[in-house]
Amino acid sequence: MEKYIIEGGHRLHGEVEISGAKNAVVAIIPATILAKDRCVIENVPNISDVSILLHILQDLGAKVSYLGKNTVEIDTSHITEPVVPYESSRHLRASYYFLGAFLGRFNQAHVSPPGGCNFGVRPIDQHIKGFEALGASVSTDYGFIHATAEELYGSHIYLDVVSVGATINIMLAAVKAKGLTILENAAKEPHIVDLANFLNSMGADIRGAGTDVIKIHGVDVLRGTSYSIIPDQIEAGTYMTIAAAAGGDVLIKNVIPKHLESITDKLLQAGVSVTEYDDAIRIIRSKPLKKVNVKTMPHPGFPTDMQPQMTTLLAIAEGTSIVTEGVWDNRFKYVDELRRMGAHIQVDGKVAVVEGVPQLTAAPVKAVDLRAGAAVLQAALCATGISEVEDIHYIERGYEDVVEKLQKIGCSIKKVPISSPTLSQAQ
Ligand code: EPZ
C-alpha cells in the first residue's frame, strides 16, 4: 500500500501531455471481442482499469501483448465462453460492457454485475431495456446477469435517461443485429463517438454518434483493426483545474479543445486565462479566483467527472459559488476531506454551497473514489504545508503517470509506502 506525500503551495510551470481517454478505452477493449480477430490499439493509457480489463480478456482466452508502452495488440479469436465471474467484474464499472460485446458476438452473455465508484444507486435498467428490445431475454441469478437470444434484431429504442453506459452497451449489442437499430436520447460524450469510430473501422455501420439519435445498420462480420484512442477529456480538465488552483503557467498538450469547452468556459468566468491551440490548451492563473456557479449535465454540459475538481477550485475562490450535481445522487462525499483542509462547503443533497477561503491548509486526506481522489490531490497541491493522500489506488485507476506528470510541472509530490515518514522527515 502506498500514499502520496505532497508539499503544497508551489506555482506550476511547464508542459504536461494528456494520455488516451479512460472512458473510451474501457469500452473499446471489450469491443475487440466483436472482431474475432486481431486489433492493435494505440494511445492506451497505462492505468489500472486497463490492466484489469486486459486480464479479463486473457482469462477469457484472448492473446494480449504490448507492442510499446501505450500500444496493445489483442487477438480475441480464441474466446469461446461468454462468461465474466464476480471475482473479475467487481473491480470496475466498465466490466458491464462485456454484456453487450458478448451478446453481439455469441448471442449470449453471463456477466456478474459490475463494481466501480460508489455515487449512490447505479441502476442498469436502460442497458437491459436495450438488450430486450433487440430480442434478448435477460435474467439475474446466482449473482450473474444472463442475456440470451436466438438472434438479435434491430429495434427502435428510446432511453428514459441519458446514459453513457447504456448507449455504449446497446451499440455493442446492436452492431451485428439483423436490420436497423435507432437509439434515441443517446449519450453524446466524446467516448461514445470514439467507440463508434472504432467499431466503424472494424466494418460496422454506425451513424449519428455524438448526436442524440444513433443509427446502427447491423453487419454480419466485423474484422480486426488498428485504432488510436482519443485524448482524455477528464484528465485534461483535471490538469486545467490543478494549474488554475495552484497558479502559474501550464501548457496541456495532446487535447481536443472542443471537448473541453464547458470546462474552459467556467475557468474563464473564474478569472483564469485559457488559450486554445489546435491540440493544446494553456492555463495561466495569476489573479485571485472568482466565484462561479456550476451545474453538471450530460455532454456537452459541464461533466460530472469534473465536479469534484471544480468544487475544490471554487473552495479557494473569492465569494460563494453554488455547485449542483445533475447526474449522480451522491457525489459530494469528498467534501468531508476538503473540510479538514479548511474548506467551507455545505452540502444539501445534490447542491453544494462553496464559500471560498483564501487558503487551504495541509492535512492527511484520502481518495474516496477516482475523481474525488483527483480533487483531494488538487487541494493538497495548493494547500500550505505537507499533506498525505491515502487510498491512491482510486486515483491510479484513471490517471496515467500522475506523479511524474505533476513533478514535471513543478509539483512537490512523492509516492511512498504507507509506513514511510512524511516528506519533510524524509528529506
Ligand atoms: C459513465 O458512467 C462514466 N464511466 C462515469 O465516469 C461518468 O460519471 C458517467 O458516465 C456520466 O458521465 C465510464 O464511462 C466507465 P451513466 P455510467 O449510465 O455509464 C442513470 C469516471 O469518473 N442511469 O451515464 O455508469 C444513473 O444512475 C466515471 O471516470 C439509470 O438510471 O453513467 C445516472 O444518474 C465515474 N439507468 C445517470 O443515468 C441506467 O440503466 C448517468 O449514468 C443507467 C444509468
Side-chain angles (χ1 to χ4, degrees):
M1 295 264 276
E2 292 171 305
K3 63 184 174 187
Y4 297 146
I5 308 259
I6 296 169
E7 186 183 59
H10 296 273
R11 290 178 73 74
L12 308 183
H13 289 275
E15 297 180 356
V16 62
E17 189 93 23
I18 296 307
S19 302
K22 170 184 91 83
N23 288 344
V25 77
V26 298
I28 285 173
I29 290 173
T32 60
I33 290 173
L34 289 160
K36 203 179 176 186
D37 197 354
R38 195 180 68 93
C39 294
V40 174
I41 308 172
E42 295 170 14
N43 206 28
V44 174
N46 192 359
I47 51 176
S48 60
D49 272 14
V50 164
S51 347
I52 294 167
L53 286 171
L54 293 176
H55 275 116
I56 295 177
L57 276 185
Q58 281 175 313
D59 288 345
L60 288 165
K63 287 193 189 131
V64 174
S65 47
Y66 268 91
L67 306 181
K69 184 188 172 208
N70 297 105
T71 304
V72 188
E73 183 181 76
I74 302 171
D75 183 346
T76 60
S77 43
H78 300 292
I79 296 179
T80 52
E81 295 288 317
V83 181
V84 177
Y86 179 66
E87 196 37 47
S88 304
S89 72
R90 70 191 176 96
H91 300 289
L92 82 169
R93 192 80 193 153
S95 51
Y96 59 25
Y97 294 143
F98 286 103
L99 280 168
F102 283 152
L103 255 185
R105 172 153 160 196
F106 298 101
N107 287 342
Q108 55 171 306
H110 310 278
V111 177
S112 202
C117 293
N118 179 4
F119 317 132
V121 186
R122 294 186 74 173
I124 59 164
D125 55 300
Q126 298 303 304
H127 305 231
I128 292 169
K129 173 180 168 175
F131 297 150
E132 288 177 340
L134 296 169
S137 302
V138 184
S139 61
T140 307
D141 67 49
Y142 296 108
F144 274 89
I145 299 168
H146 304 281
T148 54
E150 289 284 314
E151 190 87 71
L152 293 170
Y153 292 95
S155 181
H156 198 136
I157 303 164
Y158 187 92
L159 292 181
D160 300 334
V161 289
V162 179
S163 160
V164 169
T167 301
I168 287 176
N169 243 337
I170 292 167
M171 281 164 67
L172 293 171
V175 76
K176 290 177 73 187
K178 298 234 168 312
L180 172 66
T181 297
I182 300 177
L183 179 59
E184 297 211 49
N185 201 24
K188 297 179 279 210
E189 270 67 5
H191 29 289
I192 304 281
V193 180
D194 209 36
L195 174 69
N197 288 340
F198 173 74
L199 292 170
N200 284 342
S201 77
M202 293 164 99
D205 184 352
I206 302 174
R207 296 171 200 198
T211 74
D212 43 24
V213 183
I214 300 179
K215 293 186 179 163
I216 306 164
H217 285 271
V219 295
D220 291 337
V221 182
L222 293 174
R223 56 180 181 271
T225 184
S226 288
Y227 192 80
S228 183
I229 305 285
I230 51 164
D232 195 307
Q233 172 203 28
I234 305 301
E235 188 197 11
T238 303
Y239 283 99
M240 288 166 77
T241 53
I242 284 176
D249 180 350
V250 176
L251 185 69
I252 302 164
K253 293 165 73 175
N254 187 34
V255 303
I256 299 176
K258 177 94 193 138
H259 294 168
L260 302 169
E261 277 173 353
S262 60
I263 304 162
T264 298
D265 181 58
K266 290 295 164 191
L267 291 184
L268 289 171
Q269 285 179 38
V272 178
S273 156
V274 185
T275 312
E276 291 181 1
Y277 302 95
D278 285 350
D279 61 355
I281 213 152
R282 182 175 179 190
I283 301 293
I284 302 177
R285 209 270 286 178
S286 46
K287 294 181 293 195
L289 294 159
K290 293 185 280 194
K291 71 183 174 81
V292 175
N293 294 339
V294 180
K295 178 167 185 187
T296 70
M297 276 183 272
H299 192 77
F302 189 89
T304 172
D305 294 345
M306 280 300 300
Q307 180 264 101
Q309 304 91 310
M310 193 67 198
T311 304
T312 304
L313 181 71
L314 296 172
I316 52 166
E318 287 176 349
T320 300
S321 307
I322 310 287
V323 179
T324 308
E325 173 55 50
V327 177
W328 297 109
D329 288 337
N330 189 2
R331 206 175 188 173
F332 284 115
K333 281 188 281 180
Y334 63 93
V335 163
D336 284 342
E337 303 299 303
L338 296 185
R339 282 201 196 110
R340 290 195 300 105
M341 301 179 82
H344 288 181
I345 305 176
Q346 299 301 321
V347 177
D348 185 3
K350 294 168 109 180
V351 178
V353 178
V354 187
E355 196 190 318
V357 295
Q359 186 72 60
L360 297 177
T361 48
V365 285
K366 62 178 191 298
V368 297
D369 63 54
L370 167 60
R371 308 303 172 187
V376 292
L377 181 58
Q378 177 182 310
L381 289 168
C382 63
T384 50
I386 295 174
S387 298
E388 300 190 10
V389 180
E390 293 198 358
D391 290 343
I392 59 170
H393 59 279
Y394 283 115
I395 299 172
E396 296 184 357
R397 281 189 45 209
Y399 291 91
E400 181 176 38
D401 296 338
V402 63
V403 170
E404 293 76 8
K405 289 186 186 187
L406 288 171
Q407 285 171 343
K408 204 167 156 254
I409 52 173
C411 299
S412 173
I413 175 169
K414 275 188 181 179
K415 182 155 89 168
V416 297
I418 260 324
S419 56
S420 285
T422 60
L423 189 67
S424 55
Q425 291 162 324
Q427 280 169 346

